[in-house]
Amino acid sequence: MEYPLVSVVIPLYNCSRTLRECLSSVMQQTYKNYEVVLVYTPSNDNTLDIATEALEDGRIRCIQEDKRGRGVARNRGILEAKGQVIGWTDADCEVPNTWLEKLVEPILKGEEKIVQGAELGVGKSFWSRMYDRAYQRSMVGELDYVEHIDTKNLAIRKDVLTDVGMFNDNLVGLEDFDLRCRLNKAGYKIRYIRDIKVAHNHRDSFFTVIQQRSEEGYWAYVIYHLHKEFLDSEARMSNSVKHLSVSYLLKTPLKFVSFLFKHGVSDAFFMTVMVASFIYGNTKARLEFINSNSSETFGSGQS
């Protein structure tokens, strides 16, 4: 196997709690030729100090991006990347030492242009465990290709990203959902390899779960507005879009009872919090859209 340069891009923002472990795992890859591009956004903790310490390894570069937003940080990483294949993970993840080699192999062989792996939750709190169980339920079956992307475990050719316009840096949340829509529109397939897993520290408290899920509900509607015709087709109805339909909301109580009997009280409680928070954020976005003077400016601010 040849080892052309691969760029691993990791956005950094308020991640000092997990960053050292993340970088330690990333820097122990069996793949022979890679760089790591850290994109730092001014934070309220000592993230920058940890990133600066890591620069002792010559394979690591740290770029500062003053404009806040994950899409902005990811785009800066794409522009700074020297490799023609980009690997993505997040600062709250740890990767196995064979992660990069397995992830980019189908791309380097010319078999795929985008490869996505899976995740394994490592948190010990109730919320972390429930997050992981919900994720595992959503990925049942032998899937070869998926219609979503997850930037915590992803490899993609750089020219594919530039072809679809990279990330939308006007989005504060779910920028990966928006990118997935544009990739699907352009006809790109996302290969899913479930055996390539990264350990992920999920949100671990009631309030952080509500905050995250509400933001996802808000930005899901913004992105739905951007890609309405595409997402309205029955074959493209992702879970995020289903939450927007009246029929889905009317069926929610029935779904809850069925879910309760199938998975138990703890999982049902967790899903209730998740769905209710999503609907709250989604409703907020809908009301803002109705009240906005121009659909062109809708969604340009934060939720």
Side-chain angles (χ1 to χ4, degrees):
M1 177 178 177
E2 295 184 10
Y3 292 92
L5 179 66
V6 173
S7 299
V8 177
V9 177
I10 308 175
L12 307 181
Y13 176 69
N14 283 347
C15 55
S16 62
R17 186 169 63 91
T18 57
L19 182 56
R20 280 195 176 91
E21 290 76 12
C22 172
L23 292 179
S24 176
S25 68
V26 170
M27 302 317 297
Q28 298 180 48
Q29 296 301 298
T30 55
Y31 191 83
K32 303 298 184 184
N33 186 20
Y34 66 102
E35 64 167 357
V36 177
V37 181
L38 307 177
V39 184
Y40 169 78
T41 300
S43 303
N44 302 319
D45 59 9
N46 64 331
T47 292
L48 184 58
D49 294 335
I50 298 171
T52 302
E53 291 173 9
L55 297 181
E56 294 180 2
D57 189 316
R59 295 171 293 176
I60 300 178
R61 291 186 286 136
C62 185
I63 312 299
Q64 180 159 327
E65 174 55 64
D66 293 329
K67 185 179 177 183
R68 185 168 296 181
R70 290 194 300 262
V72 174
R74 297 193 197 285
N75 283 343
R76 182 67 184 278
I78 294 166
L79 295 174
E80 295 286 344
K82 295 177 181 178
Q84 293 307 303
V85 176
I86 299 179
W88 299 91
T89 193
D90 289 336
D92 59 355
C93 296
E94 295 179 45
V95 300
N97 65 342
T98 58
W99 168 69
L100 193 58
E101 185 170 0
K102 291 182 177 179
L103 196 64
V104 303
E105 183 178 5
I107 298 177
L108 297 181
K109 287 183 175 180
E111 299 169 353
E112 308 289 348
K113 295 183 178 180
I114 310 169
V115 177
Q116 178 179 301
E119 68 172 89
L120 181 66
V122 294
K124 296 181 180 180
S125 74
F126 168 82
W127 300 100
S128 298
R129 288 186 283 107
M130 291 299 105
Y131 249 122
D132 187 56
R133 283 162 66 163
Y135 171 83
Q136 301 304 331
R137 284 194 300 269
S138 71
M139 301 306 290
V140 296
E142 296 300 322
L143 303 174
D144 290 326
Y145 294 91
V146 290
E147 287 206 343
H148 72 276
I149 61 173
D150 189 344
T151 47
K152 71 174 66 70
N153 191 0
L154 181 75
I156 184 168
R157 281 175 41 166
K158 187 175 181 179
D159 59 353
V160 170
L161 287 165
T162 55
D163 179 47
V164 298
M166 303 197 295
F167 290 88
N168 183 340
D169 57 16
N170 290 319
L171 299 173
V172 176
L174 289 190
E175 70 287 344
D176 48 0
F177 178 26
D178 172 77
L179 177 65
R180 187 273 287 178
C181 292
R182 288 182 282 114
L183 287 169
N184 288 162
K185 284 181 180 180
Y188 291 109
K189 292 184 176 181
I190 304 166
R191 176 69 187 279
Y192 177 63
I193 305 179
R194 65 170 61 251
D195 293 334
I196 307 174
K197 296 181 180 180
V198 302
H200 178 224
N201 290 278
H202 291 289
R203 299 295 178 98
D204 59 2
S205 74
F206 176 73
F207 293 106
T208 55
V209 167
I210 290 177
Q211 179 186 24
Q212 179 181 8
R213 201 62 182 146
S214 298
E215 290 174 353
E216 289 174 352
Y218 180 95
W219 291 105
Y221 187 75
V222 174
I223 295 165
Y224 174 74
H225 174 69
L226 293 174
H227 304 285
K228 187 175 186 300
E229 184 176 345
F230 172 73
L231 290 170
D232 273 344
S233 63
E234 194 63 32
R236 303 289 182 179
M237 288 287 278
S238 71
N239 288 335
S240 295
V241 178
K242 285 180 180 177
H243 284 78
L244 308 174
S245 66
V246 174
S247 61
Y248 181 91
L249 296 177
L250 292 175
K251 294 175 183 176
T252 296
L254 216 64
K255 289 178 178 290
F256 170 77
V257 174
S258 174
F259 191 92
L260 176 64
F261 279 101
K262 187 174 182 180
H263 298 287
V265 174
S266 294
D267 290 82
F269 171 69
F270 174 77
M271 292 306 297
T272 300
V273 172
M274 294 278 281
V275 171
S277 301
F278 188 98
I279 292 173
Y280 167 78
N282 179 253
T283 302
K284 180 179 178 181
R286 291 198 218 193
L287 293 174
E288 286 187 17
F289 176 70
I290 293 171
N291 294 327
S292 63
N293 295 321
S294 170
S295 61
E296 294 180 359
T297 61
F298 171 64
S300 58
Q302 295 188 20
S303 63

